[in-house]
Amino acid sequence: AFAPDIFYVFFYVAAVWLFIDAERAGSRSRLVLRSLSVACFVLALMSKEAAVTLPAVLVVAYLLFAEGSRSLGGFLRAIAPHASVWILYLAYIVAYLRVGGGDYMLVAGRNVIRNFTTVVYYAFNLRRDGFVPVRMVPAYLFAFLICFAVLVLLLAVALLLQQEHRRFVLFGGAWFCIGVAPMMLLSGISPYYVFLALAGLALIVGVSLDVVYAALRRMSPVAAVLVLATL
């Protein structure tokens, strides 16, 4: 694992978490939490350029999790500090340093679809080439990985129909897609490019398994614990 990918994902998650807390907090705590969120955004950018996608995640977070009456003015006040950092960073990196060539040249074409399917395989601990893992694994483990991926995707679709869980699935799905968006334009994908997107998938998996646990617990608390522990 490359240290930059570990660091930028950590600060990225922290920035989003603090932002959501700020929009759900009282006016006294809001400024402090927003400032901490911006600081984490700066640290994420200092760790890896891929953190530029964070403002897009914050827009989704505001729409889904901000409490009280949402307004354009409130949204602009909430997002303005992060947007300012984002603009300054792009001006410095793109306009001044002229970063974005060589192996990291961004190109839109067939690579977008190929990269996205590869990301989905990686996210579920599979490999795209030949639909089998590169490393040797027992057949039962490979079957479990396939069944687990199908289970999570089916549950996610079902939870979209439930108002109680819909926003978590939407947020996790949006996070996943936004997190890998810059990598879609590269010539190829490596497993560590998926670290950030996994945070969104983890939210979907967590909500899905929580629903499974709650359903099983009504029948047998012991069985619910055993099934969840096994998964």
Side-chain angles (χ1 to χ4, degrees), residues 51-75:
V52 294
T53 60
L54 186 132
V57 173
L58 297 187
V59 171
V60 179
Y62 182 87
L63 294 175
L64 293 176
F65 297 111
E67 293 188 343
S69 59
R70 290 186 289 268
S71 63
L72 179 60
F75 166 73

Side-chain angles (χ1 to χ4, degrees), residues 49 93-94 97-107 185-187:
E49 302 94 321
I93 292 296
V94 178
L97 294 183
R98 300 185 184 279
V99 172
D103 293 337
Y104 294 96
M105 182 69 70
L106 303 182
V107 179
L185 300 176
L186 297 175
S187 58

Side-chain angles (χ1 to χ4, degrees), residues 16 37 80 109 123 186 189 213:
V16 176
S37 177
L186 297 175
I189 290 289
Y213 174 78

Side-chain angles (χ1 to χ4, degrees), residues 14-165:
V16 176
W17 194 329
L18 289 163
F19 176 85
I20 293 175
D21 275 356
E23 297 314 305
R24 296 164 65 90
S27 56
R28 291 185 177 181
S29 305
R30 186 167 296 164
L31 180 59
V32 175
L33 291 170
R34 282 180 182 172
S35 300
L36 290 173
S37 177
V38 172
C40 287
F41 182 31
V42 171
L43 291 172
L45 289 171
M46 291 171 65
S47 302
K48 186 160 182 159
E49 302 94 321
V52 294
T53 60
L54 186 132
V57 173
L58 297 187
V59 171
V60 179
Y62 182 87
L63 294 175
L64 293 176
F65 297 111
E67 293 188 343
S69 59
R70 290 186 289 268
S71 63
L72 179 60
F75 166 73
L76 293 177
R77 285 191 296 272
I79 204 73
H82 299 83
S84 300
V85 170
W86 185 77
I87 293 171
L88 290 173
Y89 180 81
L90 287 185
Y92 177 68
I93 292 296
V94 178
Y96 182 71
L97 294 183
R98 300 185 184 279
V99 172
D103 293 337
Y104 294 96
M105 182 69 70
L106 303 182
V107 179
R110 293 183 179 179
N111 56 309
V112 174
I113 297 177
R114 183 183 67 249
N115 287 344
F116 186 77
T117 55
T118 302
V119 162
V120 173
Y121 280 108
Y122 279 150
F124 288 103
N125 206 31
L126 300 168
R127 296 293 181 269
R128 185 174 186 273
D129 298 332
F131 201 61
V132 295
V134 173
R135 59 195 178 282
M136 297 301 294
V137 297
Y140 72 86
L141 180 56
F142 177 59
F144 168 78
L145 293 173
I146 296 294
C147 293
F148 184 79
V150 172
L151 173 66
V152 169
L153 293 176
L154 289 177
L155 285 172
V157 173
L159 292 179
L160 287 174
L161 304 177
Q162 300 182 13
Q163 188 173 1
E164 180 183 358
H165 302 102

